[in-house]
Amino acid sequence: MSDPITVFDRRLLKLRRDRAATRSQDYNFLFAETAERLADRLDDTTRKFPIALDLGCHSGELGQIVGKRGGIETLFQSDISFKYARNAQNARPKRPTLVADEEFLPFAHGSLDLILSNLSLHWVNDLPGMLLQARQALKPDGFFLASLLGGETLKDLREALMTAEAEEEGGVSPRISPFIDVRDAGALLQRSGFALPVVDIDEITVDYPDALKLMRDLSGMGESNLILKRSKKFTRASTLARAAAIYHERHARPDGRINATFQVVYLTAWAPDESQPKPLRRGSGQVSLVDFLGDDAPKQ
């Protein structure tokens, strides 16, 4: 039996990312867009982070955009794919770059001021365990900032594929990845020992001529189905064509084109430190609600 937390095929992820790296400039639009949004969030803090890590760096899109923001002096780049890591290093030859699995971080405890991750962690099997490793690798008051795909990503495409597969092949194979639920994300950060967690979501809508082009882009990005228990057979051409037709029937715009929506979840948190603000002890308030709300104050 598989380990109960082994949901995704990480070996296949590496192979697909190696393949995607050979044409990354043709398919990195989503990575580049979320990298810009992550960098903007880094600008929201006045702290300086001399030693940083770009975890799951793809071809270095985030590293190129971040530059020296946040007072970064040394930015390590890592990816599970050798070819992606090579692309990232070629983009910035002086940056230290390594091949590393997000599930097994090769960094000493308390060695990093900042960990960034752009659209990689949604393929991690044990996300709480990975977050724990990240927190341990950070110095006290170190900063963690990541984006990953949320559970509402491409729900229209997934529904169309499931319906088409049931019609064309007489059954449905596992296709729906158990991506993070935004309602659970803050609790995961706290469970991993982070302080001051903040979670917010964004939706990025991409315009497509049809669902077949969307599926080709997902394959080009290395972001197609990685569920370990997926069907190992190639999806029939008739199934893909039927899925595209269903998508068009249900979601086409008046001009005949379709929208594809990616839900992006942003995680922000800090490694604990004594200097951080603490919540007041329960019952330590000095002002009654009645003083503010008068007759509208809740009655017990």
Side-chain angles (χ1 to χ4, degrees), residues 2 29 31 56 62 64-65 83 98 116 126 137 140 155 190-191 201 204 206 229 236 243 246 258 268 272 291 296:
S2 297
F29 60 92
F31 305 141
L62 179 58
Q64 294 180 58
I65 290 167
K83 292 183 179 179
L98 63 153
L116 301 164
D126 181 11
K155 63 179 182 180
Q190 289 181 316
R191 176 179 161 191
I201 60 172
I204 298 176
V206 183
K229 294 183 179 180
R236 297 177 188 175
I246 292 170
I258 63 168
T268 303
D291 294 338
D296 294 329

Side-chain angles (χ1 to χ4, degrees), residues 36-50:
E36 290 278 6
R37 300 185 187 202
L38 268 183
D40 288 343
R41 283 167 168 78
L42 184 60
D43 287 339
D44 291 339
T45 179
T46 58
R47 281 282 314 280
K48 302 299 183 184
F49 307 103

Side-chain angles (χ1 to χ4, degrees), residues 55 105 112 115 129-138 144 194:
L55 181 61
L105 298 187
L112 301 169
I115 295 177
M130 180 268 138
L131 291 173
L132 175 61
Q133 291 183 64
R135 195 264 297 166
Q136 292 173 336
L138 287 168
F144 178 80
F194 280 103

Side-chain angles (χ1 to χ4, degrees), residues 137-258:
L138 287 168
K139 298 176 182 178
D141 210 27
F143 193 36
F144 178 80
L145 177 58
S147 67
L148 60 164
L149 295 179
E152 294 297 303
T153 294
L154 300 178
K155 63 179 182 180
D156 296 337
L157 175 63
R158 291 184 288 176
E159 291 170 359
L161 281 166
M162 289 176 65
T163 303
E165 192 172 22
E167 291 180 6
E168 296 292 319
E169 303 183 28
V172 177
S173 61
R175 289 185 179 276
I176 300 179
S177 299
F179 292 154
I180 192 169
D181 188 317
V182 67
R183 294 169 295 184
D184 299 329
L188 281 177
L189 289 167
Q190 289 181 316
R191 176 179 161 191
S192 304
F194 280 103
L196 308 174
V198 176
V199 179
D200 63 301
I201 60 172
D202 209 352
E203 288 191 348
I204 298 176
T205 300
V206 183
D207 171 90
Y208 278 100
D210 53 57
L212 291 175
K213 178 62 168 68
L214 167 59
M215 288 184 269
R216 285 194 292 271
D217 275 8
L218 291 174
S219 178
M221 289 188 284
E223 293 291 321
S224 47
N225 185 13
L226 285 172
I227 296 177
L228 193 63
K229 294 183 179 180
R230 73 195 180 281
S231 172
K232 302 305 190 288
K233 299 182 296 183
F234 287 108
T235 303
R236 297 177 188 175
S238 61
T239 302
L240 297 177
R242 179 60 185 142
I246 292 170
Y247 201 122
H248 185 272
E249 291 165 7
R250 296 179 179 177
H251 305 293
R253 304 190 318 234
D255 63 359
R257 297 177 70 85
I258 63 168

